[in-house]
Amino acid sequence: LAGNPQLRLALNEDLIVGKNSGSTSYSSGVTVDDINFNDCVNLSEWDHGRTLSFYPPDGEFIVLSYRMTGEFKTPFRIFPSIEEVEPNKLEIAVHIRAEIPDNHFGANVSIEVPLPHSTTTATCNVVSTPGATGVNAEYVSQDKKLVWTLKKFPGCTEQTMRAKITLSGPCTSQIRREIGPINMSYEIPMYNVSS
């Protein structure tokens, strides 16, 4: 945008903030636990019209963030498995299913799997379904983690990454506890997870 224009963003009028805000459980509105706004947002129109007014700062920024703890369907489901193939060798498989409709996709998807400190080597391979682009998986030895990235993860598809891990000693229950938790970050353009 040229100059520094004021922007106005109207949100869903059925948006309900807070679980105890007087709504019934049969409400068709979107319910969030809480919302945090960027400091640049002028909240004077928020309470009566669900409209955000702001002068955007330079560069990319987050206008608002929200938290939901109620029932909702996650856009991706992760199915990890670990198998001890030898006393000091593990095979890890991470299978991910996109639960979003096939006309949507996950963009800039990144999956990180922390590995035990005793990991000496790891090799990865990926089984991708058609439509996935920019797929890469690697072991980052200095951070002791697997990093799997996809530029595009189509909706209603499944992707799998397999890794063979070699440890410096035998795998114990303590070493197994060092695996994970799996962290996944993504963007889904033009898609609202919360209805």
Side-chain angles (χ1 to χ4, degrees):
L1 298 173
N4 192 16
Q6 180 181 17
L7 299 179
R8 291 179 51 156
L9 178 66
L11 299 182
N12 188 332
E13 291 179 0
D14 296 330
L15 180 67
I16 301 165
V17 180
K19 290 188 176 191
N20 299 324
S21 58
S23 67
T24 66
S25 60
Y26 303 105
S27 170
S28 62
V30 177
T31 303
V32 297
D33 294 334
D34 56 59
I35 297 180
N36 293 311
F37 298 98
N38 187 296
D39 291 339
C40 71
V41 175
N42 177 354
L43 298 175
S44 61
E45 297 180 56
W46 170 250
D47 287 330
H48 60 77
R50 291 297 191 239
T51 301
L52 304 177
S53 171
F54 57 97
Y55 291 94
D58 290 335
E60 187 174 313
F61 72 103
I62 296 173
V63 175
L64 66 87
S65 59
Y66 64 93
R67 185 174 57 96
M68 294 178 58
T69 57
E71 297 264 337
F72 67 94
K73 190 174 181 181
T74 60
F76 296 95
R77 295 207 45 203
I78 301 174
F79 304 93
S81 68
I82 303 169
E83 182 182 346
E84 188 175 331
V85 292
E86 291 180 28
N88 67 330
K89 292 190 179 186
L90 302 172
E91 287 188 5
I92 296 176
V94 179
H95 183 79
I96 302 177
R97 183 171 58 221
E99 300 280 328
I100 55 180
D102 60 4
N103 61 332
H104 291 282
F105 62 91
N108 302 317
V109 178
S110 176
I111 301 99
E112 295 182 357
V113 183
L115 297 178
H117 297 297
S118 62
T119 302
T120 57
T121 61
T123 58
C124 307
N125 78 7
V126 178
V127 179
S128 290
T129 55
T133 61
V135 181
N136 184 48
E138 64 183 345
Y139 170 57
V140 181
S141 60
Q142 65 268 25
D143 297 331
K144 300 288 187 191
K145 67 181 175 182
L146 301 172
V147 177
W148 177 20
T149 56
L150 300 94
K151 282 285 186 203
K152 184 177 181 182
F153 191 144
C156 293
T157 64
E158 300 179 359
Q159 313 292 328
T160 302
M161 187 262 307
R162 298 187 198 300
K164 295 183 182 205
I165 314 297
T166 303
L167 305 172
S168 60
C171 183
T172 63
S173 60
Q174 178 62 35
I175 288 174
R176 284 179 76 98
R177 278 188 230 118
E178 293 179 20
I179 301 170
I182 295 173
N183 180 36
M184 181 175 183
S185 62
Y186 53 87
E187 302 166 13
I188 305 176
M190 305 302 291
Y191 183 69
N192 182 357
V193 176
S194 56
S195 300

